[in-house]
Structure formats: C-alpha cells, structure tokens
Amino acid sequence: MANKQALMNEIESLPANVIDEILHYVLFLKQLKSNTVSDITLASEHSLSKDWLLPEEDAAWQNL
C-alpha cells in the first residue's frame, strides 16, 4: 500500500499533460493484461477440449 500512496503523491505534483500520459499508459497496461489472459485462454482451449468433449465429461455435468 505504501507504493500506491507514493505513486499518488508523485502524481499529485505533476502537470496535467503528464497526468494524461500516465493515464494512457495505465489504460494500456490494463488492456495488455486483459489481452494476455484472453490469449492464454484461447491457446489452451484446443488442448483442454480433448477432455471437455468426452462423453464422460458430459455425463458428469448433466445434473448441474
């Protein structure tokens, strides 16, 4: 939490144009992270589908 407060203190002392740049960078990082998760999910789908598409799996989940 100390890092968060230190960052907030630094941001408070910056001019508006720099704050805009920081905001864009933070949004970029969030988008990058969400894309990484999606890419990993998509990449694993093929290998996991070998287990998901078994009749035994369908039987195990049919009562849910």
Side-chain angles (χ1 to χ4, degrees), residues 3-64:
N3 284 341
K4 184 176 180 178
Q5 189 57 49
L7 178 60
M8 297 299 288
N9 291 340
E10 291 296 325
I11 289 172
E12 288 291 324
S13 68
L14 296 172
N17 64 325
V18 176
I19 292 174
D20 290 342
E21 290 181 42
I22 292 171
L23 175 61
H24 288 292
Y25 183 66
V26 169
L27 295 174
F28 166 76
L29 290 175
K30 286 176 71 174
Q31 181 66 36
L32 185 64
K33 183 173 179 144
S34 70
N35 285 347
T36 302
V37 172
S38 297
D39 291 346
I40 292 170
T41 302
L42 290 174
S44 64
E45 186 175 3
H46 177 71
S47 62
L48 292 173
S49 69
K50 294 173 187 173
D51 292 325
W52 292 339
L53 299 177
L54 294 175
E56 296 86 2
E57 268 304 296
D58 289 339
W61 291 95
Q62 77 182 22
N63 293 326
L64 298 177

